[in-house]
Amino acid sequence: MEIDPDWPITSAHGYDAGGCIAATRYARITPEGNVTACPYMEEPAGSVREKPFSEIWRDAPVLQALRAPKLEGRCGVCEYQKLCGGCRARPLARDGNMMGEDFLCTYQPSGGAVIDPMGPVAAGLRWTEDAEARIARVPGFVRRMVRRRAEDYVRGEGRAQVTADDLAYLARRRFGESGPPGFAGSPRESEPSDR
């Protein structure tokens, strides 16, 4: 992010990855049925043998705390705290404080404003059924960013509907004629003609 702030690889750009994923996009279920926030946090948040996973995921206090962290130390004053948040298992293991600073991080906060993740994509454009089916095949961790770029492209073309052809064209423009790995295109892969 420091090298190139416009490089769309963080949640500041809608990329749903980066930072600690414990309790936001990940949890572990042990062979005994215990749910933990990550493999390095051994304290169970609950057991799937006693209640449904969905209930534990939604209501467990430790998981809720990780979703709305009150970070301390350098992490608590870091401008990247909402994009990264540091590892919560490290301070927990060393000091017993899940919200302590990630002591293995070498970044020194500059005191700048906290960078917020990209908000929800603005509504208003329609998506054809084929376009929705195609975007559903995009890996979840980049889907929001791809959706936003497709809508920006279609708006720039002065249209109000995203088609599968738009997505195919954008994929070819980004990845070349072969498209992204493992992503079969639609039969009509020419540049959109309904401009």
Side-chain angles (χ1 to χ4, degrees):
M1 182 97 177
E2 285 182 295
I3 293 169
D4 184 356
D6 295 325
W7 196 29
I9 61 166
T10 73
S11 57
H13 305 91
Y15 182 81
D16 288 332
C20 180
I21 61 173
T24 59
R25 297 178 300 278
Y26 177 86
R28 170 182 75 151
I29 302 175
T30 69
E32 298 76 34
N34 291 323
V35 177
T36 69
C38 88
Y40 304 107
M41 297 174 145
E42 297 179 4
E43 187 65 31
S47 172
V48 294
R49 293 182 178 189
E50 297 169 10
K51 57 174 79 168
F53 175 80
S54 60
E55 188 176 322
I56 297 167
W57 178 260
R58 183 186 64 236
D59 300 333
V62 68
L63 301 182
Q64 289 180 348
L66 287 164
R67 291 182 196 125
K70 294 177 175 50
L71 302 175
E72 301 172 13
R74 284 181 300 130
C75 291
V77 296
C78 183
E79 58 271 26
Y80 296 106
Q81 63 182 266
K82 290 184 181 179
L83 304 182
C84 167
C87 177
R88 301 295 93 222
R90 290 182 192 134
L92 179 64
R94 186 179 80 171
D95 305 320
N97 178 5
M98 185 171 66
M99 296 299 160
E101 74 178 47
D102 182 347
F103 55 88
L104 291 183
C105 177
T106 60
Y107 181 72
Q108 292 299 320
S110 67
V114 173
I115 302 166
D116 284 314
M118 185 180 91
V121 176
L125 291 183
R126 293 181 315 276
W127 282 65
T128 64
E129 191 174 319
D130 288 347
E132 287 290 1
R134 187 174 177 114
I135 195 81
R137 297 186 342 237
V138 172
F141 62 93
V142 292
R143 189 174 301 135
R144 184 170 42 167
M145 182 177 66
V146 172
R147 182 178 285 274
R148 183 191 68 172
R149 286 191 173 170
E151 290 186 350
D152 288 349
Y153 167 74
V154 168
R155 279 190 193 96
E157 294 289 305
R159 294 183 285 119
Q161 181 168 287
V162 179
T163 68
D165 285 343
D166 291 321
L167 296 175
Y169 168 69
L170 292 170
R172 271 196 332 280
R173 194 168 79 179
R174 172 76 173 90
F175 296 102
E177 287 301 319
S178 60
F183 196 80
S186 65
R188 244 181 77 218
E189 294 261 329
S190 58
E191 183 169 343
S193 57
D194 54 343
R195 291 181 176 226

